[in-house]
Amino acid sequence: MFRNNYDNDSVTFSPQGRIFQVEYAQEAVKQGSVVVGIVSKTHAVLVGLKRNAEELSSYQKKVIAIDSHMGIAIAGLASDARVLSNFMKQQSLGSRLTYGRAIPLERIVLHIGDRAQTNTQHYGRRPYGVGLLIAGVDDSGPHLFEFQPSGMTQEMVACAIGARSQMARTYLEKNLEQFADCGRDQLIGHGLKALKETLSQDKELTVENTTVGIAGLAREGSVGKIENFKLYDGQDIVPLLEALEAATSGTEAVGAESMEVDS
Amino acid sequence: MTSLLQLQSPDFETIGYSFSEGSRPGNKEHGFYPYTDNGGSTLGISGSDFTILAGDTRSVSGYNINSRHSPKVFKIGGDDETGEGAHIILSVVGFAADGQALKESLDGIVNMYKYQHGKPMSVKACAQRLSTILYQKRFFPYYANAILGGLDENGKGALYSYDPVGSYERVQCKAAGSASSLIMPFLDNQVDYKNQYVPGSGEGHALERRKPEPLPRSTVEQLVRDAFTSAVERHIEVGDGLQMMIITASGIEEIYSPLKKD
Amino acid sequence: MNHLPQAWGRPRDDVYGTYDRSYLQTSTPNSHTQSPAVTGTSVLAIKFNGGVAMAADKLASYGSLARFTDVKRIRVFDKTTVVGFGGDISDMQYIDRLLDSIDVEENYSSNGNTLNAKNVHTYLAKVLYKRRSKFDPLWNQILVAGFDDDSKPFLSSADLLGTTFSAPHLATGFGAHLAIPILRRLFPEEMPVENIGKEEAVAALRECMKVLFYRDARSLDQYSLAVVTSDGVELKEDEKLEAQSWNFAENIRGYGTQVN
């Protein structure tokens, strides 16, 4: 019945120095569908693979806008993510009201990290069953953070969490050097390619299952200092997928472009 | 100055002002009055496909001018820094700190609505919500007169006017603030055509009223300017600058023009 | 048994005397500030090309008594922002501690303190507004000077009611009556801030401090002077009024010896 004697609560260490409840929570993250995040010198992008629980249901949200300067991508229990994202929305709004400034990413990540950590140190509580990628821009430029149910947070250059995310990480590691100088569209392209790596043979990226969120520094000549967090979902994603198609099919795509309509 | 002295508590004499009062019997009065009037006026007019909100930019306390460029009209539901993406405008006049708090409260709610529902709040819903925000402080009210503007679900100009405790109605035009009693009769006549009759249509009760129709934007803009230049002449708390926001299907336009600074 | 439930379980009045109900209270009543006690007078500030200058004298009065003569009413926040306080001195010191604590907290982040003058002003206005809404005000008028999000000179005011406004030159207390007209004449508001030099601005402030010392009974001839530029804050805390001339007072009743 029990896997061992030390996993009944999240306040007890095993003799090997492990807290099993936290590890199980991390397992829940691995069950969630994959999300990828990459940051360049100018942009931070989140890309996610959406799943539907059954044929008749809608697809679960993977990327959520928190404020005009940031958003999160989730892997794991969506309901826990909703609670966390609501908390982050409140914190972000609070910063805008009291200081008139967008909350620095490091700040808000620290907040949710502390919150998640207290869950692992109080009897009768349960760790969050969700991992997050937090992407956005603040005064010190674009940032990407990873968050785990243990309360661990760290800043990343590129990151992937969720089911089969190892494939995406391999892609990210291979192309690591290119990210810093990527433009906006290139960065989204890398994100989508990394996401594509994780797909099993019979799957592909579609309008239904792909979602992208991006924030960055403002382009020359535009109003404001940042390019607000923009969410691409549903039909909005079509141009991005087409760009990916064109990039991956390489040279032969140039001639085939006009015929794609029929295929 | 005398009214200020009356507010001072009896303890004050221990400090040793020569003009302190003797102690009063009965209940202890609060020496702190949490409101002030920062003066100024606002005005809103809606048309068939636009709404204009305007306000002067003077802020006063007593006979002092605090600032000559303190805005009273705000975008609601837009980006914090640039105001981009806003689709509702709000003007507040009265106690500026309450007005500012009211605006920030509404702006926060409208923005939160957008993040929670993935679509902007309708002007109608926003108008209702503003009423509840005001009424929530029924027994310690926001001392401000609000006017909310936008475009309704049919694309027509929408204008809502509020009292400080949340009573509201949709109106064609409204003036608020210290010079409202100067501006409102002018608007009654020029927008609603009150006391205007069709010439030669009859005698006495048979006289036919001139029918009000939606005014074109250029006419309304000129009415707003005229209303304020006149108010400046007759009211000391109004002046310095005129801030106008015009909301149309293509977005919000903001126009600033100077008023007399005397 | 007594038919009044209120009396049940209490000592009988006819035996023990009237019951002292004050013992039923779990805590002492809240006390709210009804009036300021030790106060500072005017703070003056003016924007110039590339920065802001601010001045405030060093007197803290207890009513009409000149109680403390070495009180610094201008403080620096994060080497980029200055805050000047008029009004109650103890409330000023409380706000000073608040600012210290957010400065410390802000410095925990890897980018250090990124709050600019505009952020500090918003914060202080919220603190003041919240306290006035609790009917327990912090009895101050505060000027905040520094830079905004676009690194442009920033100057704004917040008072005990939470009212905020900004202008190219601001003054609290008596300065609002005496210094503002002088500053408005020297630097008309339609004149761009870029046309005002640092030295001009500082000289104007010194002149205003002199006028205030002549006419404000709760002022002092020693003052603090802060100048914020993109290079940081230059805060001088032992300035003295120079070249005073009291000739004007000769024929004014109330100044000097009275002849009739």
Side-chain angles (χ1 to χ4, degrees):
Chain A
M1 168 126 183
F2 298 112
R3 213 164 106 179
N4 63 58
N5 285 322
Y6 298 98
D7 68 351
N8 285 307
D9 55 62
S10 63
V11 299
T12 313
F13 278 106
S14 81
Q16 286 78 39
R18 299 161 63 180
I19 297 170
F20 283 105
Q21 281 298 324
V22 172
E23 292 185 21
Y24 299 163
Q26 269 156 344
E27 213 53 45
V29 178
K30 288 183 194 155
Q31 308 265 332
S33 68
V34 65
V35 286
V36 177
I38 316 176
V39 68
S40 73
K41 279 178 187 162
T42 56
H43 287 84
V45 69
L46 294 172
V47 178
L49 185 69
K50 293 188 287 186
R51 270 202 300 227
N52 51 349
E54 48 176 306
E55 196 72 4
L56 296 173
S57 77
S58 62
Y59 284 77
Q60 188 58 246
K61 257 193 206 151
K62 294 295 282 181
V63 179
I64 302 169
I66 296 295
D67 200 339
S68 58
H69 70 299
M70 63 176 294
I72 58 169
I74 65 178
L77 293 184
S79 45
D80 281 14
R82 194 179 58 236
V83 170
L84 267 176
S85 70
N86 283 342
F87 172 75
M88 292 173 80
K89 284 170 191 174
Q90 291 292 341
Q91 290 289 319
S92 200
L93 184 68
S95 172
R96 285 198 188 268
L97 288 182
T98 43
Y99 298 106
R101 124 180 126 160
I103 195 166
L105 264 80
E106 191 185 341
R107 236 346 141 81
I108 197 165
V109 168
L110 204 70
H111 268 301
I112 56 167
D114 286 353
R115 221 171 127 91
Q117 196 278 337
T118 52
N119 283 342
T120 70
Q121 225 179 5
H122 287 271
Y123 188 81
R125 315 216 26 190
R126 152 176 95 68
Y128 288 111
V130 70
L132 305 180
L133 296 180
I134 302 100
V137 276
D138 57 26
D139 288 344
S140 54
H143 295 283
L144 172 69
F145 286 89
E146 181 193 359
F147 161 88
Q148 288 289 338
S150 59
M152 186 235 41
T153 58
Q154 58 187 344
E155 179 149 23
M156 306 294 280
V157 174
C159 187
I161 54 172
R164 300 165 65 92
S165 58
Q166 185 53 51
M167 317 289 278
R169 275 199 297 278
T170 309
Y171 175 89
L172 295 175
E173 282 160 19
K174 220 182 280 173
N175 296 280
L176 187 63
E177 274 71 41
Q178 299 175 39
F179 297 151
D181 296 311
C182 269
R184 184 194 142 100
D185 298 339
Q186 276 178 296
L187 201 67
I188 295 174
H190 276 302
L192 289 171
K193 276 186 230 169
L195 196 69
K196 207 174 161 145
E197 294 286 319
T198 70
L199 298 176
S200 52
Q201 288 283 302
D202 55 334
K203 288 266 186 60
E204 55 184 324
L205 296 180
T206 66
V207 175
E208 283 79 32
N209 71 11
T210 315
T211 183
V212 173
I214 187 162
L217 301 172
R219 267 167 288 195
E220 292 277 322
S222 55
V223 271
K225 277 192 284 198
I226 68 163
E227 177 191 321
N228 285 348
F229 189 83
K230 171 124 175 69
L231 194 60
Y232 293 90
D233 240 348
Q235 288 306 311
D236 295 340
I237 203 106
V238 175
L240 302 183
L241 289 177
E242 276 171 0
L244 176 73
E245 187 76 19
T248 45
S249 49
T251 45
E252 70 260 44
V254 180
E257 209 159 10
S258 56
M259 294 164 69
E260 262 176 53
V261 183
D262 291 333
S263 62
Chain B
M1 206 57 185
T2 42
S3 63
L4 271 176
L5 295 180
Q6 275 153 15
L7 282 172
Q8 252 136 28
S9 71
D11 318 342
F12 216 60
E13 64 188 304
T14 55
I15 295 174
Y17 279 125
S18 48
F19 44 69
S20 61
E21 299 173 89
S23 63
R24 262 164 295 160
N27 290 328
K28 191 170 149 64
E29 197 184 312
H30 274 282
F32 175 62
Y33 187 67
Y35 294 116
T36 189
D37 185 359
N38 297 105
S41 250
T42 57
L43 158 58
I45 302 174
S46 64
S48 57
D49 57 351
F50 67 90
T51 296
I52 291 188
L53 269 187
D56 69 316
T57 61
R58 179 176 288 183
S59 160
V60 303
S61 52
Y63 290 139
N64 281 328
I65 296 175
N66 289 329
S67 173
R68 295 192 195 276
H69 21 68
S70 176
K72 289 183 189 67
V73 191
F74 307 100
K75 294 178 184 175
I76 296 295
D79 185 84
D80 248 32
E81 280 109 53
T82 58
E84 246 174 280
H87 61 294
I88 293 172
I89 46 183
L90 173 75
S91 74
V92 279
V93 64
F95 173 33
D98 271 352
Q100 189 75 14
L102 181 64
K103 168 236 160 186
E104 281 174 11
S105 168
L106 186 69
D107 192 47
I109 285 164
V110 173
N111 271 323
M112 232 16 150
Y113 183 101
K114 186 173 63 194
Y115 286 116
Q116 231 105 50
H117 297 83
K119 62 174 184 195
M121 202 178 203
S122 72
V123 179
K124 198 177 165 183
C126 186
Q128 172 72 264
R129 189 67 182 87
L130 179 56
S131 169
T132 60
I133 295 171
L134 287 160
Y135 194 78
Q136 272 168 5
K137 274 173 68 70
R138 172 62 180 78
F139 298 107
F140 183 21
Y142 287 117
Y143 224 84
N145 285 296
I147 304 174
L148 189 78
L151 297 175
D152 67 11
E153 53 273 34
N154 303 315
K156 286 199 174 70
L159 194 69
Y160 294 86
S161 149
Y162 296 78
D163 81 348
V165 288
S167 163
Y168 81 112
E169 58 178 340
R170 187 169 171 178
V171 289
Q172 206 65 42
C173 66
K174 183 75 182 182
S178 52
S180 61
S181 55
L182 275 62
I183 298 174
M184 205 57 218
F186 170 71
L187 256 36
D188 286 340
N189 182 251
Q190 290 297 304
V191 180
D192 292 335
Y193 295 149
K194 293 275 167 63
N195 298 307
Q196 290 199 48
Y197 298 91
V198 178
S201 57
E203 288 286 317
H205 288 294
L207 207 55
E208 197 188 323
R209 286 162 188 271
R210 184 175 168 197
K211 285 232 161 42
E213 72 265 11
L215 298 168
R217 183 179 148 174
S218 54
T219 312
V220 172
E221 260 183 55
Q222 198 50 51
L223 278 179
V224 171
R225 286 177 203 280
D226 290 349
F228 273 94
T229 39
S230 311
V232 168
E233 293 296 327
R234 287 287 186 176
H235 202 113
I236 55 166
E237 290 175 352
V238 182
D240 294 331
L242 174 63
Q243 180 203 16
M244 271 200 276
M245 280 205 203
I246 302 118
I247 189 161
T248 60
S250 54
I252 301 171
E253 204 181 317
E254 190 172 356
I255 302 170
Y256 175 85
S257 47
L259 288 174
K260 279 167 80 173
K261 290 182 166 44
D262 58 4
Chain C
M1 192 190 261
N2 194 314
H3 66 276
L4 291 171
Q6 292 93 320
W8 296 350
R10 300 245 167 83
R12 283 170 56 180
D13 286 359
D14 53 342
V15 178
Y16 299 100
T18 317
Y19 187 73
D20 184 357
R21 279 164 187 282
S22 68
Y23 291 118
L24 289 176
Q25 250 141 24
T26 49
S27 61
T28 53
N30 290 326
S31 56
H32 289 176
T33 311
Q34 301 296 320
S35 60
V38 180
T39 58
T41 179
S42 321
V43 185
L44 318 176
I46 176 172
K47 283 201 234 182
F48 59 84
N49 186 20
V52 194
M54 186 187 283
D57 72 37
K58 298 207 283 186
L59 182 69
S61 316
Y62 183 62
S64 53
L65 171 71
R67 182 64 184 81
F68 304 107
T69 54
D70 192 21
V71 175
K72 287 139 184 127
R73 296 195 288 122
I74 297 182
R75 74 98 82 191
V76 179
F77 180 83
D78 186 40
K79 296 173 192 154
T80 57
T81 301
V82 294
V83 186
F85 297 85
D88 193 279
I89 296 297
S90 66
D91 287 346
M92 170 188 90
Q93 289 166 344
Y94 168 74
I95 294 169
D96 185 53
R97 290 193 293 275
L98 282 185
L99 288 175
D100 279 343
S101 77
I102 62 165
D103 186 31
V104 167
E105 212 164 289
E106 191 70 7
N107 275 301
Y108 282 136
S109 85
S110 54
N111 297 304
N113 192 339
T114 55
L115 292 172
N116 57 32
K118 191 165 176 269
N119 300 141
V120 172
H121 174 259
T122 311
Y123 170 76
L124 290 175
K126 291 292 146 70
V127 171
L128 291 163
Y129 183 71
K130 195 157 192 185
R131 287 291 293 262
R132 88 95 217 189
S133 299
K134 287 202 273 186
F135 272 85
D136 187 14
L138 293 166
W139 218 286
N140 298 102
Q141 192 178 354
I142 297 172
L143 298 188
V144 184
F147 295 93
D148 64 10
D149 301 334
D150 303 318
S151 303
K152 286 216 283 280
F154 173 88
L155 173 59
S156 204
S157 156
D159 69 10
L160 69 164
L161 294 172
T163 318
T164 59
F165 47 83
S166 63
H169 17 68
L170 288 173
T172 75
F174 232 86
H177 299 104
L178 288 187
I180 288 292
I182 299 172
L183 293 172
R184 280 185 185 161
R185 171 155 296 179
L186 284 172
F187 313 109
E189 285 182 80
E190 44 281 359
M191 177 174 167
V193 170
E194 287 73 36
N195 292 4
I196 305 171
K198 176 177 146 183
E199 275 68 33
E200 269 179 279
V202 170
L205 283 190
R206 289 188 196 278
E207 193 58 30
C208 289
M209 289 308 284
K210 200 192 288 181
V211 172
L212 280 165
F213 181 58
Y214 288 149
R215 283 294 183 180
D216 179 359
R218 280 110 184 90
S219 71
L220 202 65
D221 54 356
Q222 295 154 51
Y223 59 99
S224 311
L225 181 77
V227 179
V228 204
T229 58
S230 52
D231 300 329
V233 178
E234 192 190 343
L235 176 61
K236 288 183 254 179
E237 287 179 325
D238 41 23
E239 297 297 288
K240 275 184 93 89
L241 286 182
E242 310 285 343
Q244 291 174 46
S245 165
W246 287 85
N247 292 334
F248 77 93
E250 205 110 305
N251 302 311
I252 298 173
R253 214 179 145 78
Y255 282 99
T257 324
Q258 224 59 59
V259 271
N260 48 359

